[in-house]
Amino acid sequence: MRQFSTEWTPDQIRDFGRKPLLLRHGHAENPLFADDALARLIEATPRSHFHVNTIDRDETDPRKWREGDMSGLSGLDVMAAVARGNIWVHLQRVHETSSAYGVFLDDLFADIERNVPGFRSYRRSMSVLISSPNMNVALHADVPGQSLWQVRGRKRVWVYPPQPPYLPQEKIEAIVLQRSGDTDLPYDPSYEAGAESFELEPGDWATWPRNAPHRVRNADCVNVSFTTEHWTDELRAGYAVDYANGLLRPLFRGADLSRETRGPAFMAKFAVAAAHKGWRRLAGRTRMPVTVDFRVDPRAAQGFADVAPHQIMK
């Protein structure tokens, strides 16, 4: 496999997963991200494994993030719509769609684990992002550990501390419980004072602490990126606490509860979260509906056309 193009510094090793970081990688020319490979990947990705989104280029309210569809279109048509329009294509779990991306993902994390002593990950996942010039990606917060890898084009990323007011505790609990989407966050221009910002060019990658809210704006060029997600024992413990706190919140009249991940209270919350998740799986309540109100159209000025709103399960 190709190695990282720069050495990790002691500070980067220490801060990985705990602070926003900008690093370098050596995968910008990988043929997995060439146009023909991306077109095939789009066509092979099932409906359950992709999102297509848009938002006005000057919109700051993440709740205005819209969901679309591209089912049945050729990969080249989708990429043409991206190039001329204002859309964001998110191909999820590409390692399940194509084994080549699975091998790449395993090699990538093996390299990170060689460089960061004590880091051990599991339940890893990879998504590919293909997005329009000047695309504005809404403020959102992810649940697992996450990194963003730039392959083509340029974008700026703003990362906010994973704490109030940027991330109210009840918001991350609702996201973890799948009671709301990951863009259901407050935003105020004053938040910019607390953000760290990176400009990503091909060969750059950024990573940040668990649940840190972030938003993205592309430069005036098509962007190709990929994201990786992972879990560790530490991340899993934090997830379980947020999950249990969300369940317990009504019993405590909406009060925030401790997010401590050690001790008897944590063990009790871990058990509550595990039992509830098991019940949800048995009850078939592991998906949430999303409203689709546009369809990708390479002939349209924005790369999409509005359709009657309808719900699908994701």
Side-chain angles (χ1 to χ4, degrees), residues 118-139:
F119 175 70
R120 295 294 178 266
S121 62
Y122 48 87
R123 288 182 58 194
R124 302 185 289 249
S125 183
M126 176 179 173
S127 297
V128 170
L129 311 173
I130 310 166
S131 51
S132 299
N134 304 303
M135 181 70 197
N136 169 26
V137 179
L139 182 71

PDB file of all heavy atoms in Angstrom, residues 118-139:
ATOM      1  N   GLY A 118      -1.191   2.509  20.374  1.00  0.00           N
ATOM      2  CA  GLY A 118      -2.354   2.340  21.236  1.00  0.00           C
ATOM      3  C   GLY A 118      -3.684   2.540  20.557  1.00  0.00           C
ATOM      4  O   GLY A 118      -4.728   2.221  21.138  1.00  0.00           O
ATOM      5  N   PHE A 119      -3.696   3.066  19.317  1.00  0.00           N
ATOM      6  CA  PHE A 119      -4.960   3.266  18.602  1.00  0.00           C
ATOM      7  C   PHE A 119      -5.393   1.949  17.971  1.00  0.00           C
ATOM      8  O   PHE A 119      -4.665   1.374  17.158  1.00  0.00           O
ATOM      9  CB  PHE A 119      -4.798   4.342  17.523  1.00  0.00           C
ATOM     10  CG  PHE A 119      -6.019   4.517  16.655  1.00  0.00           C
ATOM     11  CD1 PHE A 119      -7.179   5.092  17.173  1.00  0.00           C
ATOM     12  CD2 PHE A 119      -6.005   4.110  15.327  1.00  0.00           C
ATOM     13  CE1 PHE A 119      -8.302   5.250  16.369  1.00  0.00           C
ATOM     14  CE2 PHE A 119      -7.114   4.270  14.526  1.00  0.00           C
ATOM     15  CZ  PHE A 119      -8.267   4.842  15.047  1.00  0.00           C
ATOM     16  N   ARG A 120      -6.580   1.471  18.336  1.00  0.00           N
ATOM     17  CA  ARG A 120      -7.136   0.251  17.779  1.00  0.00           C
ATOM     18  C   ARG A 120      -8.593   0.508  17.413  1.00  0.00           C
ATOM     19  O   ARG A 120      -9.394   0.882  18.275  1.00  0.00           O
ATOM     20  CB  ARG A 120      -7.044  -0.916  18.779  1.00  0.00           C
ATOM     21  CG  ARG A 120      -5.618  -1.337  19.101  1.00  0.00           C
ATOM     22  CD  ARG A 120      -4.915  -1.927  17.872  1.00  0.00           C
ATOM     23  NE  ARG A 120      -3.537  -2.298  18.164  1.00  0.00           N
ATOM     24  CZ  ARG A 120      -2.491  -1.513  17.941  1.00  0.00           C
ATOM     25  NH1 ARG A 120      -2.677  -0.289  17.446  1.00  0.00           N
ATOM     26  NH2 ARG A 120      -1.274  -1.922  18.222  1.00  0.00           N
ATOM     27  N   SER A 121      -8.914   0.318  16.157  1.00  0.00           N
ATOM     28  CA  SER A 121     -10.248   0.647  15.669  1.00  0.00           C
ATOM     29  C   SER A 121     -10.978  -0.595  15.187  1.00  0.00           C
ATOM     30  O   SER A 121     -10.365  -1.623  14.884  1.00  0.00           O
ATOM     31  CB  SER A 121     -10.143   1.660  14.523  1.00  0.00           C
ATOM     32  OG  SER A 121      -9.412   1.103  13.435  1.00  0.00           O
ATOM     33  N   TYR A 122     -12.299  -0.470  15.098  1.00  0.00           N
ATOM     34  CA  TYR A 122     -13.128  -1.549  14.561  1.00  0.00           C
ATOM     35  C   TYR A 122     -14.395  -0.924  13.998  1.00  0.00           C
ATOM     36  O   TYR A 122     -14.602   0.292  14.086  1.00  0.00           O
ATOM     37  CB  TYR A 122     -13.448  -2.603  15.625  1.00  0.00           C
ATOM     38  CG  TYR A 122     -13.933  -2.070  16.956  1.00  0.00           C
ATOM     39  CD1 TYR A 122     -15.282  -1.811  17.191  1.00  0.00           C
ATOM     40  CD2 TYR A 122     -13.034  -1.835  17.997  1.00  0.00           C
ATOM     41  CE1 TYR A 122     -15.724  -1.340  18.404  1.00  0.00           C
ATOM     42  CE2 TYR A 122     -13.471  -1.363  19.222  1.00  0.00           C
ATOM     43  CZ  TYR A 122     -14.819  -1.114  19.428  1.00  0.00           C
ATOM     44  OH  TYR A 122     -15.255  -0.641  20.639  1.00  0.00           O
ATOM     45  N   ARG A 123     -15.234  -1.762  13.359  1.00  0.00           N
ATOM     46  CA  ARG A 123     -16.454  -1.285  12.700  1.00  0.00           C
ATOM     47  C   ARG A 123     -16.146  -0.065  11.835  1.00  0.00           C
ATOM     48  O   ARG A 123     -16.827   0.957  11.894  1.00  0.00           O
ATOM     49  CB  ARG A 123     -17.541  -0.968  13.723  1.00  0.00           C
ATOM     50  CG  ARG A 123     -18.166  -2.204  14.365  1.00  0.00           C
ATOM     51  CD  ARG A 123     -19.256  -1.822  15.335  1.00  0.00           C
ATOM     52  NE  ARG A 123     -20.302  -1.044  14.698  1.00  0.00           N
ATOM     53  CZ  ARG A 123     -21.248  -0.357  15.351  1.00  0.00           C
ATOM     54  NH1 ARG A 123     -21.232  -0.342  16.681  1.00  0.00           N
ATOM     55  NH2 ARG A 123     -22.165   0.316  14.709  1.00  0.00           N
ATOM     56  N   ARG A 124     -15.136  -0.193  10.999  1.00  0.00           N
ATOM     57  CA  ARG A 124     -14.707   0.923  10.149  1.00  0.00           C
ATOM     58  C   ARG A 124     -15.617   1.031   8.919  1.00  0.00           C
ATOM     59  O   ARG A 124     -16.148   0.032   8.443  1.00  0.00           O
ATOM     60  CB  ARG A 124     -13.256   0.723   9.747  1.00  0.00           C
ATOM     61  CG  ARG A 124     -12.339   0.624  10.960  1.00  0.00           C
ATOM     62  CD  ARG A 124     -10.894   0.539  10.573  1.00  0.00           C
ATOM     63  NE  ARG A 124     -10.528  -0.723   9.956  1.00  0.00           N
ATOM     64  CZ  ARG A 124      -9.742  -1.637  10.514  1.00  0.00           C
ATOM     65  NH1 ARG A 124      -9.294  -1.451  11.741  1.00  0.00           N
ATOM     66  NH2 ARG A 124      -9.424  -2.733   9.869  1.00  0.00           N
ATOM     67  N   SER A 125     -15.754   2.240   8.421  1.00  0.00           N
ATOM     68  CA  SER A 125     -16.623   2.482   7.277  1.00  0.00           C
ATOM     69  C   SER A 125     -16.020   3.576   6.408  1.00  0.00           C
ATOM     70  O   SER A 125     -15.259   4.425   6.902  1.00  0.00           O
ATOM     71  CB  SER A 125     -18.026   2.896   7.750  1.00  0.00           C
ATOM     72  OG  SER A 125     -18.903   3.062   6.661  1.00  0.00           O
ATOM     73  N   MET A 126     -16.374   3.557   5.120  1.00  0.00           N
ATOM     74  CA  MET A 126     -15.837   4.542   4.175  1.00  0.00           C
ATOM     75  C   MET A 126     -16.940   5.027   3.255  1.00  0.00           C
ATOM     76  O   MET A 126     -17.766   4.232   2.782  1.00  0.00           O
ATOM     77  CB  MET A 126     -14.713   3.908   3.350  1.00  0.00           C
ATOM     78  CG  MET A 126     -14.142   4.807   2.265  1.00  0.00           C
ATOM     79  SD  MET A 126     -12.801   3.957   1.383  1.00  0.00           S
ATOM     80  CE  MET A 126     -12.499   5.161   0.072  1.00  0.00           C
ATOM     81  N   SER A 127     -17.005   6.330   3.030  1.00  0.00           N
ATOM     82  CA  SER A 127     -17.940   6.949   2.096  1.00  0.00           C
ATOM     83  C   SER A 127     -17.172   7.790   1.100  1.00  0.00           C
ATOM     84  O   SER A 127     -16.108   8.338   1.425  1.00  0.00           O
ATOM     85  CB  SER A 127     -18.943   7.838   2.829  1.00  0.00           C
ATOM     86  OG  SER A 127     -19.755   7.094   3.718  1.00  0.00           O
ATOM     87  N   VAL A 128     -17.710   7.925  -0.113  1.00  0.00           N
ATOM     88  CA  VAL A 128     -17.120   8.779  -1.136  1.00  0.00           C
ATOM     89  C   VAL A 128     -18.062   9.961  -1.375  1.00  0.00           C
ATOM     90  O   VAL A 128     -19.286   9.785  -1.489  1.00  0.00           O
ATOM     91  CB  VAL A 128     -16.876   7.999  -2.449  1.00  0.00           C
ATOM     92  CG1 VAL A 128     -16.499   8.948  -3.580  1.00  0.00           C
ATOM     93  CG2 VAL A 128     -15.773   6.965  -2.238  1.00  0.00           C
ATOM     94  N   LEU A 129     -17.501  11.165  -1.441  1.00  0.00           N
ATOM     95  CA  LEU A 129     -18.251  12.400  -1.632  1.00  0.00           C
ATOM     96  C   LEU A 129     -17.854  13.037  -2.950  1.00  0.00           C
ATOM     97  O   LEU A 129     -16.668  13.259  -3.207  1.00  0.00           O
ATOM     98  CB  LEU A 129     -17.964  13.381  -0.494  1.00  0.00           C
ATOM     99  CG  LEU A 129     -18.059  12.824   0.933  1.00  0.00           C
ATOM    100  CD1 LEU A 129     -17.584  13.874   1.928  1.00  0.00           C
ATOM    101  CD2 LEU A 129     -19.480  12.397   1.237  1.00  0.00           C
ATOM    102  N   ILE A 130     -18.843  13.332  -3.788  1.00  0.00           N
ATOM    103  CA  ILE A 130     -18.620  14.005  -5.066  1.00  0.00           C
ATOM    104  C   ILE A 130     -19.531  15.221  -5.056  1.00  0.00           C
ATOM    105  O   ILE A 130     -20.752  15.088  -4.983  1.00  0.00           O
ATOM    106  CB  ILE A 130     -18.950  13.085  -6.259  1.00  0.00           C
ATOM    107  CG1 ILE A 130     -18.264  11.727  -6.095  1.00  0.00           C
ATOM    108  CG2 ILE A 130     -18.538  13.734  -7.576  1.00  0.00           C
ATOM    109  CD1 ILE A 130     -18.798  10.658  -7.032  1.00  0.00           C
ATOM    110  N   SER A 131     -18.970  16.430  -5.125  1.00  0.00           N
ATOM    111  CA  SER A 131     -19.780  17.612  -4.862  1.00  0.00           C
ATOM    112  C   SER A 131     -19.446  18.758  -5.803  1.00  0.00           C
ATOM    113  O   SER A 131     -18.343  18.859  -6.335  1.00  0.00           O
ATOM    114  CB  SER A 131     -19.621  18.051  -3.404  1.00  0.00           C
ATOM    115  OG  SER A 131     -18.262  18.174  -3.041  1.00  0.00           O
ATOM    116  N   SER A 132     -20.424  19.635  -5.972  1.00  0.00           N
ATOM    117  CA  SER A 132     -20.380  20.708  -6.965  1.00  0.00           C
ATOM    118  C   SER A 132     -19.470  21.860  -6.536  1.00  0.00           C
ATOM    119  O   SER A 132     -19.200  22.054  -5.346  1.00  0.00           O
ATOM    120  CB  SER A 132     -21.786  21.258  -7.187  1.00  0.00           C
ATOM    121  OG  SER A 132     -22.664  20.279  -7.669  1.00  0.00           O
ATOM    122  N   PRO A 133     -19.029  22.673  -7.511  1.00  0.00           N
ATOM    123  CA  PRO A 133     -18.296  23.894  -7.175  1.00  0.00           C
ATOM    124  C   PRO A 133     -19.119  24.779  -6.237  1.00  0.00           C
ATOM    125  O   PRO A 133     -20.338  24.914  -6.398  1.00  0.00           O
ATOM    126  CB  PRO A 133     -18.100  24.566  -8.542  1.00  0.00           C
ATOM    127  CG  PRO A 133     -18.152  23.439  -9.529  1.00  0.00           C
ATOM    128  CD  PRO A 133     -19.146  22.471  -8.964  1.00  0.00           C
ATOM    129  N   ASN A 134     -18.451  25.347  -5.245  1.00  0.00           N
ATOM    130  CA  ASN A 134     -19.059  26.284  -4.291  1.00  0.00           C
ATOM    131  C   ASN A 134     -20.157  25.655  -3.437  1.00  0.00           C
ATOM    132  O   ASN A 134     -20.930  26.373  -2.795  1.00  0.00           O
ATOM    133  CB  ASN A 134     -19.608  27.521  -5.013  1.00  0.00           C
ATOM    134  CG  ASN A 134     -18.545  28.218  -5.828  1.00  0.00           C
ATOM    135  OD1 ASN A 134     -17.505  28.622  -5.314  1.00  0.00           O
ATOM    136  ND2 ASN A 134     -18.787  28.347  -7.135  1.00  0.00           N
ATOM    137  N   MET A 135     -20.242  24.336  -3.410  1.00  0.00           N
ATOM    138  CA  MET A 135     -21.265  23.664  -2.615  1.00  0.00           C
ATOM    139  C   MET A 135     -21.076  23.981  -1.137  1.00  0.00           C
ATOM    140  O   MET A 135     -19.964  23.987  -0.612  1.00  0.00           O
ATOM    141  CB  MET A 135     -21.175  22.154  -2.846  1.00  0.00           C
ATOM    142  CG  MET A 135     -22.206  21.344  -2.089  1.00  0.00           C
ATOM    143  SD  MET A 135     -23.858  21.578  -2.742  1.00  0.00           S
ATOM    144  CE  MET A 135     -24.859  20.960  -1.395  1.00  0.00           C
ATOM    145  N   ASN A 136     -22.196  24.243  -0.473  1.00  0.00           N
ATOM    146  CA  ASN A 136     -22.223  24.590   0.936  1.00  0.00           C
ATOM    147  C   ASN A 136     -22.769  23.389   1.696  1.00  0.00           C
ATOM    148  O   ASN A 136     -23.934  23.030   1.540  1.00  0.00           O
ATOM    149  CB  ASN A 136     -23.123  25.826   1.118  1.00  0.00           C
ATOM    150  CG  ASN A 136     -23.451  26.131   2.560  1.00  0.00           C
ATOM    151  OD1 ASN A 136     -22.702  25.787   3.461  1.00  0.00           O
ATOM    152  ND2 ASN A 136     -24.589  26.782   2.769  1.00  0.00           N
ATOM    153  N   VAL A 137     -21.940  22.723   2.486  1.00  0.00           N
ATOM    154  CA  VAL A 137     -22.380  21.548   3.244  1.00  0.00           C
ATOM    155  C   VAL A 137     -22.778  21.999   4.643  1.00  0.00           C
ATOM    156  O   VAL A 137     -21.988  22.596   5.370  1.00  0.00           O
ATOM    157  CB  VAL A 137     -21.275  20.479   3.289  1.00  0.00           C
ATOM    158  CG1 VAL A 137     -21.745  19.277   4.094  1.00  0.00           C
ATOM    159  CG2 VAL A 137     -20.887  20.053   1.882  1.00  0.00           C
ATOM    160  N   ALA A 138     -23.999  21.685   5.014  1.00  0.00           N
ATOM    161  CA  ALA A 138     -24.588  22.205   6.243  1.00  0.00           C
ATOM    162  C   ALA A 138     -23.831  21.753   7.491  1.00  0.00           C
ATOM    163  O   ALA A 138     -23.214  20.687   7.524  1.00  0.00           O
ATOM    164  CB  ALA A 138     -26.047  21.750   6.338  1.00  0.00           C
ATOM    165  N   LEU A 139     -23.919  22.574   8.518  1.00  0.00           N
ATOM    166  CA  LEU A 139     -23.385  22.209   9.829  1.00  0.00           C
ATOM    167  C   LEU A 139     -24.020  20.895  10.291  1.00  0.00           C
ATOM    168  O   LEU A 139     -25.242  20.726  10.239  1.00  0.00           O
ATOM    169  CB  LEU A 139     -23.696  23.319  10.834  1.00  0.00           C
ATOM    170  CG  LEU A 139     -23.167  23.111  12.257  1.00  0.00           C
ATOM    171  CD1 LEU A 139     -21.661  23.266  12.292  1.00  0.00           C
ATOM    172  CD2 LEU A 139     -23.835  24.093  13.216  1.00  0.00           C
TER     173      LEU A 139
END
